[in-house]
Amino acid sequence: MQAPALKGKTALVTGSTSGIGLGIARTLAAQGANIVFNGFGDAGEIDSLQADVVREYSVRTAYHNADMSRPGEIAAMMQFAAEKFDGVDILVNNAGIQHVANIEDFPVEKWDAIIAINLSSSFHTTRLALPSMKARNWGRIINIASVHGLVGSAQKSAYVAAKHGIVGFTKVTALESAHTGVTCNAICPGWVLTPLVQKQVDARAMQEGISNDAAKKSLVAEKQPSGEFVTPEQLGALALFLCSDAASQVRGVAWNMDGGWVAQ
Ligand code: NAD
């Protein structure tokens, strides 16, 4: 039997206690990668989530609760990963939050938090992950951007600014690593039904006095021609491809998986 593709590698996935990050972490673990989980949540649930992954995929896992808005905690997490697993081979910068409001009503602290978590945290993890990746001449950095890294939507100023920023940061990281075995790419999902999007579904259902199901349908239909949500598992499969040898010359792309959103 062939060894799983990522056996012996370690993947650190920020914001992997929920949604897309969890989907990607599980996909990488299924291919043999040890996982460093990060994100908020109930301690008992995070323990059982790790236990499930260990049991299902026979990999090692660890968890660090660094707040991605705090550079000091990010540095502690990277140090923790280095000590626990001898460094990070695959870095998935995924943690993110959203806030929806017109610019003139946008709370300043929400702007700062979104830029810190959705953009600056990736600089802090990347700068600390690159030296050992370059020393081994192998690494994969995958930034979870968004269609909002490619196009805008009203009322999402901080999110769109952060996601366009991360697409730019992806290109620079790719260029600075271009002559090495380290690649950096961004994935740009359209709508994925996670807790981050469920909040927007709930707000729409309330504003328009419609059911949860009707709100989901109208939210997706507005932007995503397929009319269907993208799934964390599909995004996990794309991340896995970016980790493969076949993707070693995919460098600096912002790859949308969005049911046709950006094709319009
Ligand atoms: P989610 O709310 O399900 O998960 C977000 C994760 O980030 C959670 O694990 C949460 O604990 C963690 N997190 C939040 N703030 C954090 C902080 N300060 N420090 C550490 N961890 C923190 O959301 P999701 O939809 O899975 O989003 C994941 C990423 O995908 C985000 O970057 C988001 O912008 C992006 N994205 C989501 C969609 C979508 O439709 N859901 C579309 C495009 C891009």
Side-chain angles (χ1 to χ4, degrees):
M1 206 175 73
Q2 227 181 349
L6 300 177
K7 183 92 193 139
K9 304 275 192 232
T10 295
L12 186 153
V13 185
T14 71
S16 44
T17 52
S18 167
I20 295 170
L22 179 55
I24 292 176
R26 294 185 67 93
T27 307
L28 300 181
Q31 288 302 320
N34 298 321
I35 304 291
V36 182
F37 285 94
N38 158 261
F40 298 146
D42 175 78
E45 281 174 24
I46 295 170
D47 281 349
S48 72
L49 183 160
Q50 287 193 78
D52 285 350
V53 168
V54 169
R55 194 180 48 250
E56 282 175 50
Y57 307 120
S58 306
V59 296
R60 291 164 62 211
T61 68
Y63 165 74
H64 197 283
N65 66 356
D67 180 335
M68 288 297 113
S69 67
R70 296 171 184 258
E73 294 187 20
I74 296 172
M77 177 181 73
M78 299 306 287
Q79 178 74 28
F80 167 83
E83 283 163 10
K84 216 68 195 168
F85 290 110
D86 195 25
V88 171
D89 304 290
I90 300 165
L91 170 65
V92 183
N93 289 309
N94 166 80
I97 58 168
Q98 175 63 287
H99 186 80
V100 180
N102 285 331
I103 293 169
E104 59 271 37
D105 303 322
F106 212 92
V108 170
E109 63 281 4
K110 287 281 183 201
W111 172 278
D112 288 344
I114 289 175
I115 299 298
I117 297 164
N118 297 19
L119 175 58
S120 303
S121 71
S122 300
F123 161 69
H124 294 295
T125 52
T126 300
R127 78 187 168 83
L128 295 167
L130 273 174
S132 68
M133 287 181 177
K134 284 184 175 169
R136 291 177 207 192
N137 202 31
W138 197 92
R140 293 289 186 266
I141 301 175
I142 301 172
N143 294 326
I144 306 306
S146 165
V147 284
H148 286 118
L150 305 169
V151 295
S153 287
Q155 299 195 306
K156 295 187 176 174
S157 54
Y159 190 86
V160 170
K163 295 298 188 182
H164 274 68
I166 195 75
V167 167
F169 183 63
T170 299
K171 292 175 184 170
V172 176
T173 309
L175 289 175
E176 290 186 11
S177 312
H179 55 288
T180 75
V182 180
T183 72
C184 178
N185 294 289
I187 293 178
C188 298
W191 289 121
V192 187
L193 190 56
T194 65
L196 182 143
V197 163
Q198 186 61 48
K199 280 190 204 148
Q200 295 170 65
V201 170
D202 294 344
R204 180 171 291 230
M206 199 149 88
Q207 264 161 23
E208 298 180 11
I210 54 177
S211 71
N212 205 278
D213 259 6
K216 272 186 208 158
K217 283 205 180 89
S218 90
L219 191 86
V220 174
E222 207 171 82
K223 301 270 186 177
Q224 202 149 296
S226 69
E228 290 181 21
F229 286 103
V230 179
T231 68
E233 291 72 26
Q234 290 168 335
L235 293 163
L238 179 52
L240 183 61
F241 169 69
L242 291 174
C243 291
S244 70
D245 288 342
S248 66
Q249 293 310 320
V250 181
R251 292 172 184 259
V253 306
W255 190 324
N256 42 314
M257 183 183 269
D258 63 359
W261 182 326
V262 172
Q264 296 167 99

